[in-house]
Amino acid sequence: QVQLLESGGGLVQAGGSLRLSCAASGRTFKNYYVGWFRQAPGKEHEFVAAISWTGGSTYYSDSVKGRFTISRDNAENTVYLQMNSLKPEDTAVYYCAAKWMVFDIVRTEYPYWGQGTQVTVSS
């Protein structure tokens, strides 16, 4: 089992920045892809970004490409999502999720999830 805990959410003005953290415990993060998803009120979960175990492969949705950066520190068992140039439409609950070995953007392919952290961007 992998337990995930997100932190770093909050309220920020449009154009501002936040850094989200996803800390894993329970077992090693080794060979797990970690993804960030978000869910705005009344909407489905949306894939945001993902990173391979080595950090050598990263993936972004078109809506965040160039503004968000995903990274990981395996020594600390933590994955980060640096969010810059935030827009009101980025407002959502952000979740990190983990899956074994293979990249995917489909929410249901990720068996391990954190509880989420709220990000609110004011205009």
Side-chain angles (χ1 to χ4, degrees):
Q1 280 281 29
V2 175
Q3 289 84 43
L4 304 174
L5 181 64
E6 303 95 336
S7 61
L11 173 64
V12 64
Q13 289 188 330
S17 298
L18 283 173
R19 188 177 80 156
L20 305 184
S21 299
C22 173
S25 61
R27 63 181 299 172
T28 179
F29 238 170
K30 188 174 183 179
N31 292 325
Y32 279 85
Y33 266 83
V34 175
W36 285 95
F37 291 77
R38 64 188 182 186
Q39 186 175 30
K43 295 189 176 181
E44 296 291 324
H45 281 80
E46 174 192 11
F47 170 77
V48 175
I51 189 166
S52 62
W53 159 248
T54 64
S57 296
T58 56
Y59 307 86
Y60 298 93
S61 68
D62 288 342
S63 61
V64 307
K65 198 173 295 182
R67 300 187 298 122
F68 291 11
T69 303
I70 189 170
S71 61
R72 67 191 297 165
D73 181 342
N74 289 331
E76 296 294 326
N77 256 9
T78 301
V79 171
Y80 302 98
L81 185 69
Q82 177 67 43
M83 305 186 296
N84 297 330
S85 302
L86 283 162
K87 305 175 182 179
E89 51 263 44
D90 294 318
T91 296
V93 178
Y94 283 70
Y95 299 88
C96 67
K99 71 181 301 291
W100 178 257
M101 288 295 285
V102 179
F103 167 68
D104 210 300
I105 65 169
V106 178
R107 174 181 67 87
T108 53
E109 294 296 317
Y110 286 76
Y112 304 109
W113 287 79
Q115 86 292 343
T117 186
Q118 177 70 47
V119 171
T120 302
V121 184
S122 63
S123 56

